[in-house]
Amino acid sequence: MLEANNITMRFASQLLFEDISLKLDAGKRYGLIGANGAGKSTFMKILSGELEPTSGNISIKSGLKVGTLSQNQYAYEDFTLKDAVMIGNKRLYDAIKEKEDLYTNGDFEDDKVNDRLAELEIICAEEDPTYEVDVHIEKILCALDFPVEVHGELMSSLTGGDKFKILLAQVLYPKPDILFLDEPTNNLDLEAIAWLEEQLKRHEGTMVVISHDRHFLNSVCTNILDVDFKKIREFTGNYDDWYIAANLISKQQELEQSKKLKEKEELEAFVRRFSANASKAKQATSRQKRLEKLDIEDLQTSTRRDPSIIFKAKRDIGNEVLEVVKLNKSYDEEVLKDFSLKVEKGDKIALIGPNGVGKTTLLNIIMGEIEADSGDIKWGATIEPSYFPQNTTDIINGDEQLVDWLQNFGEKKDLDEIRKCLGRMLFSGEDQKKSIQNISGGEKHRMMLSKMMLQKGNFVILDEPDNHLDLEAIIALGEGLFKFTGNVICVTHDRELIDAYANRIIELKPDGTVIDFKGDYEAYKEKYGH
C-alpha cells in the first residue's frame, strides 16, 4: 500500500537516517519505536507527506485514503463536536455544509442551484452510501464519553484532553486505508485507551503508530519498525517480540565481534613471533593475509540509553504516614465529595480514573498547591514528600543551566552529586550546560525526576510522570518506584508502569464513588473487570 524508497533525512549536519527502503502492507499495524530524538516523528511526517526527505521518495497506491492524527488541539475551536469529527472526511463535510446553505438561502427557481444540489447529493452518496454519517459520529462520540446532548457544543468548551479525543474521532471516523497516529494515547484515560485498542485492532488497512505505552503496542501492533543506528529495521510481532529479537541480535553481534577480536590477537601474535623465522615465514605470510582480510566492524552505538532512576529516602518512615479526611472541592461542579484516605507504611498507590474525575485536584490539595473547600490533610511527623506535578513542562523554565536549576532547591546540593544525578538521567558532559529554556518536554520530565532523587524524600507523589518519557525511561521509572523503600502515590494511564510498582489501586469514579483495592493491578482487573 505504501513504499519508502531510499529515504535519507538530514537536519543541517545531523544525519537522522539514510537509505531507508520499506514496504508497508495492507492488514499490518506497525509500531514505530526508538529513543527520543532518533527521528520517529520525522519519519512519520515523511511517510504522511507532511515533510520532504533530504533524498528519496514515498509512493502510495493511488485511490487510497490517508488519515493523520492532528496534533493541533486548538484548530477547531469554532466547530461543534460533531462537525469537528465530520471534517475528518472533508469532501463529505464540505458537500453537506454547502447543501445546507443552498437549502436555506438558495433560489430554487435557478437551474444552477438545482444542478449544484444534484451534484452535492452525488458526492454525499459517494462518501456516505448508507446516509448514516450522523449515526456513525454519534456512536464514536458516545464511546469516548461525550453524551448526545453535548455533540452540538463548541470545541472551545472542552479541556485539552477532551479536544484530543475529538481529534482521534476525527481521524478514525472516515476509516482511512492508511492511518498515521503519533502518540494517540497521550491525554487518554485507561477506558479510552482500551476503546482505542479495540478500534485499531479492527483496522483493515495499513497503520503506523508511535507510542511509549508498551501495553498498547503489545495489544495493537503486528509489526515493529525500530529506528536506531540511523536505520529502520522491521520486526514481525509486537513490542515484546521485538525486545526479545533485538536483544538476541545484539548478543550475537557482540559474540561475533569477540570471536573475531580473539582471532585477530592470535594472528597478530603468530606474525610477530615467526615473521623473522625462515622455516615459519610462509605460515606467517599466510596468517598476515588472513589478518588483512579479517573484517572487524565496530559495534554500532545505539541511540537507546537507559536512565538510572533511584529514589533513596534520607529518613525512615514512622507508623503515621498520611490521612485525608472528608475532603470536598468544587469548581463549577463538584469534583471531590467527602473523600477520605488513609495511607499505610509501605503503600505504593496507583491513583486511576477517567480524565476530569479529580485525580490532579486531589494531589494538588495533598501537596498544598490548592486549598480544599473543607476537610483535613494529616501528614505523619516523619514524612518528607517529594512531588512531580502534572504541569512540569510549564513550571520548569528560565535561562539557567541544568546544574544551576537543581541547586536552587532548599539547601545547597553538592555539585558532584548533582552532576552524577544528571548523568544517571542521561545529561552528560556538555548536556549539563544546556539552558533550561532549550530542553524538550521529555528532558524537563527527567529534570524533575533528578530533582526528586536529590531531595531524597520518603514519600514520592507523581502526577503523570510518564508523559514525554520514552520507553526506556518509563521502564527505569517503574523499577525505581518498585525498589523504593518509601511510599508512593502515582497518577498514570500506563498499565505496564502500574504493574511495575503498585500494591494498592484507588479508582475515582465519575459518580463520586471510590474503589480502594489492596493488591496489584492484575488482581484488581480480575476482580473489577477493567
Side-chain angles (χ1 to χ4, degrees):
M1 296 184 86
L2 181 153
E3 287 189 36
N5 304 300
N6 303 115
I7 299 295
T8 295
M9 191 67 193
R10 292 179 182 275
F11 287 112
S13 61
Q14 183 190 13
L15 175 67
L16 277 184
F17 35 75
E18 64 178 338
D19 288 334
I20 305 300
S21 292
L22 292 169
K23 185 180 178 185
L24 305 185
D25 299 323
K28 292 183 179 178
R29 301 184 295 274
Y30 298 87
L32 185 59
I33 65 170
N36 283 347
K40 302 183 299 293
S41 292
T42 298
F43 187 66
M44 182 173 279
K45 286 176 181 176
I46 291 170
L47 288 176
S48 66
E50 188 179 336
L51 193 62
E52 280 288 324
T54 305
S55 62
N57 64 82
I58 301 295
S59 60
I60 295 176
K61 193 175 175 182
S62 63
L64 296 183
K65 285 184 183 177
V66 177
T68 303
L69 176 62
S70 172
Q71 298 295 316
N72 185 358
Q73 298 174 7
Y74 301 97
Y76 303 95
E77 294 292 88
D78 296 329
F79 284 67
T80 65
L81 273 57
K82 176 186 167 185
D83 283 351
V85 175
M86 191 194 301
I87 202 171
N89 184 336
K90 192 167 186 308
R91 186 168 183 251
L92 176 62
Y93 173 86
D94 288 344
I96 287 175
K97 292 303 173 185
E98 186 180 349
K99 191 171 68 169
E100 288 175 354
D101 180 61
L102 287 175
Y103 275 123
T104 304
N105 303 308
D107 178 4
F108 294 106
E109 300 295 323
D110 187 341
D111 288 342
K112 287 183 179 178
V113 170
N114 291 305
D115 289 345
R116 182 56 182 160
L117 281 170
E119 290 171 2
L120 294 171
E121 287 293 351
I122 290 170
I123 292 171
C124 290
E126 287 173 350
E127 296 296 325
D128 181 32
T130 57
Y131 288 88
E132 292 184 318
V133 56
D134 292 334
V135 174
H136 290 155
I137 291 175
E138 183 178 301
K139 198 172 177 181
I140 291 176
L141 287 174
C142 288
L144 284 168
D145 276 340
F146 296 104
V148 174
E149 55 268 25
V150 304
H151 294 183
E153 294 183 6
L154 294 180
M155 286 282 285
S156 57
S157 67
L158 300 182
T159 63
D162 280 346
K163 290 183 205 289
F164 190 77
K165 285 184 180 181
I166 299 296
L167 296 184
L168 260 180
Q170 181 189 88
V171 74
L172 293 176
Y173 149 68
K175 296 184 178 177
D177 303 295
I178 301 174
L179 187 55
F180 296 110
L181 304 172
D182 191 348
E183 295 287 1
T185 59
N186 276 4
N187 302 304
L188 298 186
D189 54 43
L190 289 166
E191 286 185 15
I193 293 171
W195 172 85
L196 178 60
E197 285 174 355
E198 292 308 311
Q199 295 297 308
L200 297 183
K201 282 190 278 191
R202 292 199 290 269
H203 181 72
E204 295 177 353
T206 301
M207 184 184 84
V208 182
V209 60
I210 296 172
S211 178
H212 293 147
D213 184 327
R214 287 167 290 164
H215 189 287
F216 177 79
L217 290 172
N218 280 328
S219 175
V220 165
C221 295
T222 61
N223 297 71
I224 296 292
L225 300 175
D226 180 22
V227 185
D228 203 0
F229 309 111
K230 297 180 173 52
K231 297 290 182 184
I232 299 178
R233 297 183 297 178
E234 182 179 347
F235 293 79
T236 300
N238 60 18
Y239 179 81
D240 283 348
D241 296 324
W242 163 82
Y243 187 81
I244 293 166
N247 278 290
L248 184 60
I249 289 170
S250 178
K251 289 283 188 293
Q252 286 172 338
Q253 288 174 337
E254 287 174 16
L255 286 171
E256 186 66 26
Q257 190 197 46
S258 178
K259 184 179 173 183
K260 286 183 177 180
L261 285 171
K262 186 177 179 183
E263 184 183 357
K264 180 174 181 280
E265 288 172 7
E266 291 172 352
L267 290 170
E268 287 174 336
F270 189 93
V271 170
R272 277 197 308 271
R273 185 175 176 189
F274 295 113
S275 58
N277 185 324
S279 64
K280 297 281 189 178
K282 190 174 180 182
Q283 289 169 284
T285 301
S286 172
R287 281 168 170 74
Q288 179 64 44
K289 287 179 180 177
R290 279 173 58 191
L291 187 59
E292 290 167 359
K293 290 179 179 177
L294 193 60
D295 181 23
I296 303 177
E297 293 182 3
D298 289 334
L299 284 178
Q300 292 176 290
T301 303
S302 172
T303 52
R304 285 189 174 81
R305 296 157 69 204
D306 297 325
S308 175
I309 300 177
I310 302 169
F311 299 108
K312 286 185 178 177
K314 63 185 174 186
R315 183 176 185 181
D316 289 336
I317 288 180
N319 291 327
E320 300 295 321
V321 182
L322 171 66
E323 189 172 4
V324 178
V325 183
K326 291 193 173 181
L327 278 192
N328 289 281
K329 182 65 179 177
S330 297
Y331 295 104
D332 293 334
E333 296 179 356
E334 190 173 63
V335 179
L336 296 170
K337 182 179 181 182
D338 289 335
F339 178 85
S340 295
L341 167 67
K342 186 168 186 180
V343 179
E344 306 287 350
K345 186 175 181 178
D347 280 346
K348 294 184 178 180
I349 296 168
L351 183 62
I352 65 173
N355 288 337
V357 81
K359 304 184 296 296
T360 295
T361 298
L362 174 60
L363 295 193
N364 280 333
I365 292 171
I366 288 173
M367 291 305 300
E369 299 289 317
I370 59 174
E371 288 188 10
D373 297 335
S374 62
D376 289 311
I377 304 292
K378 299 177 182 178
W379 287 101
T382 62
I383 302 304
E384 296 178 355
S386 186
Y387 185 39
F388 188 114
Q390 190 183 87
N391 63 337
T392 282
T393 53
D394 297 325
I395 64 175
I396 296 183
N397 51 48
D399 55 6
E400 294 173 294
Q401 291 185 359
L402 306 193
V403 171
D404 297 329
W405 186 83
L406 284 173
Q407 279 195 312
N408 288 333
F409 299 98
E411 62 196 70
K412 286 287 182 182
K413 301 291 181 186
D414 178 74
L415 188 59
D416 186 54
E417 184 183 4
I418 288 175
R419 292 196 182 282
K420 284 179 180 175
C421 183
L422 285 171
R424 288 202 301 271
M425 294 307 294
L426 309 182
F427 297 105
S428 57
E430 290 298 309
D431 285 343
Q432 298 186 3
K433 296 179 182 178
K434 283 182 177 178
S435 169
I436 282 288
Q437 65 188 356
N438 293 329
I439 63 176
S440 68
E443 288 173 320
K444 286 185 177 182
H445 275 221
R446 285 191 272 127
M447 282 297 292
M448 185 60 76
L449 290 170
S450 298
K451 174 191 166 187
M452 294 177 75
M453 288 191 285
L454 288 166
Q455 287 176 325
K456 297 182 179 178
N458 54 18
F459 195 142
V460 297
I461 295 178
L462 308 102
D463 193 353
E464 301 201 24
D466 47 293
N467 282 354
H468 302 290
L469 295 182
D470 60 20
L471 282 156
E472 288 69 34
I474 294 171
I475 291 169
L477 176 59
E479 290 173 353
L481 294 176
F482 174 72
K483 293 175 181 175
F484 181 49
T485 56
N487 281 78
V488 177
I489 298 178
C490 180
V491 173
T492 177
H493 301 307
D494 189 306
R495 288 150 295 182
E496 297 282 345
L497 179 56
I498 295 172
D499 278 335
Y501 79 90
N503 59 22
R504 184 175 176 185
I505 312 296
I506 295 177
E507 180 182 5
L508 307 186
K509 299 179 84 65
D511 63 3
T513 59
V514 177
I515 295 175
D516 188 348
F517 178 79
K518 294 193 176 182
D520 63 23
Y521 189 55
E522 287 302 315
Y524 162 81
K525 285 193 295 183
E526 195 172 314
K527 180 168 182 178
Y528 292 100
H530 290 296

